[in-house]
Every structure is written in C-alpha cells, then in structure tokens.
Amino acid sequence: MMREILKMGDPRLQRVARPVEDIHDPAVTSLIAEMFETMHATNGAGLAAPQIGVDLRVIIFGFDANPRYPDVPPVPVTALINPWFEKLTEEVEESWEGCLSVPGLRGMVPRCTHIRYGGTLEDGTTLVREAKGFHARVFQHEFDHLDGFLYPQRIVDMSKFGFIDVLFPESGLADLEAH
C-alpha cells in the first residue's frame, strides 16, 4: 500500500524517531514493504519511516537507476532497522539534493564523502558497509530524517536552493516530482 509522504512543515518530520524494539514484529515487515512501494511510486532514492508518519528508526534506499538523479551510479537496495553511521573522513563535498518531503525543490548540501554505516536487516542479520559519493550522501540524507532534520537545514548557501524548474529548466526533472 502506498503511503502519503509528509511535507516540510509537518511537525512529525521534526521528531527524533524511536528505536525499533522488536525487529521480528510483522508490522515492521509490512512497514518496509509499504515504504518500498511508496519510494518506487514516487521515483525516490530513499525513504525514512518518519516521512510517512511512522515514528520508528527505519530507512530504505537504493536503486539501479533513478530518473530524479539520472547521472549517479547505482546504490544497493537496502532496508535498515535502527541504523547507525560514522564518518571515515572529514572531507565534505557539496552536491544537489532533493527530497520527497520537499517536492519541487533542490539545494546544494555538504555531506561527508566516506562513511561506514550499519544496522539490522529485515531478516534479523546485521549489516555493516562502507560507502562513498552518492551512496554515502543518500544514506546520510535518510539518516537525518530519523533525527528530525530535512536537507534545507544543512544548506550553507541559500542562493543554491530553489525550484527545480528554475534551477534546471531544460532537465524535465520538475515533471517527475509533480505528483
């Protein structure tokens, strides 16, 4: 079942999500399935449970190709329960980000370029993985949602934040987000 995605301004997006206590609860499996259905229906690169109004530390992300980010490499399709991450470098790179909770807009956001992250997979096993580049960016973006942050709060130069159809008028990206 596709879920409604909360929009920036909804106070539920500003809360710190609660850890999942019972990862084997069938409701967690249903939540992850609904998150994937919602993410795919909206061409998302990732989705956090708080974006659909569920106050739990669950994120999903990944794709082989994504029309909203046509020039980036694939990111492994992943669902993580109670994720964590650590920076493996102090190097930061700025790049354009968008968000399903901030439709029609993009901003230039600084993110750490090399991280290690992990958490519990849906089957109860533990995942630990290193990521660089866009993969690291997507993870950090989704992780931010668990702590009540949206990407505009990370923008350093607000002159690099605006509507997709103005920033990238020939790209056709704005049409992908007009749902």
Side-chain angles (χ1 to χ4, degrees):
M1 173 179 80
M2 184 169 155
R3 301 283 295 265
E4 177 187 356
I5 297 173
L6 304 180
K7 304 284 188 290
M8 184 171 65
D10 190 308
R12 292 173 288 178
L13 290 169
Q14 298 170 355
R15 297 189 303 213
V16 175
R18 297 177 295 109
V20 174
E21 293 182 17
D22 179 6
I23 61 160
H24 300 294
D25 183 340
V28 175
T29 302
S30 294
L31 171 64
I32 290 170
E34 290 174 1
M35 289 173 67
F36 272 115
E37 185 174 339
T38 302
M39 182 182 81
H40 291 137
T42 55
N43 294 310
L47 189 68
Q51 289 180 273
I52 59 170
V54 177
D55 190 26
L56 290 174
R57 297 186 79 80
V58 177
I59 61 174
I60 64 166
F61 55 91
F63 52 85
D64 290 327
N66 187 296
R68 290 177 65 232
Y69 299 95
D71 301 324
V72 300
V75 173
V77 175
T78 308
L80 280 179
I81 302 163
N82 299 330
W84 57 267
F85 89 99
E86 61 181 321
K87 295 176 182 180
L88 296 178
T89 182
E90 291 303 314
E91 182 182 346
V92 170
E93 178 179 73
E94 282 196 330
S95 190
W96 293 104
E97 287 188 23
C99 181
L100 298 174
S101 291
V102 189
L105 296 163
R106 290 281 166 96
M108 187 65 74
V109 180
R111 297 278 185 193
C112 180
T113 60
H114 187 193
I115 64 170
R116 177 180 298 119
Y117 69 83
T120 304
L121 297 172
E122 198 173 351
D123 66 5
T125 60
T126 299
L127 172 77
V128 176
R129 184 186 282 157
E130 283 190 31
K132 293 182 177 181
F134 193 75
H135 182 172
R137 176 172 297 281
V138 169
F139 178 88
Q140 291 170 83
H141 177 108
E142 297 311 327
F143 190 87
D144 267 356
H145 282 294
L146 301 180
D147 291 330
F149 290 98
L150 294 173
Y151 82 85
Q153 294 169 271
R154 301 267 184 222
I155 297 172
V156 176
D157 179 354
M158 291 304 286
S159 72
K160 296 178 181 173
F161 177 54
F163 289 94
I164 296 169
D165 59 348
V166 175
L167 291 168
F168 313 105
E170 304 300 317
S171 71
L173 292 173
D175 294 337
L176 289 172
E177 294 193 22
H179 41 238

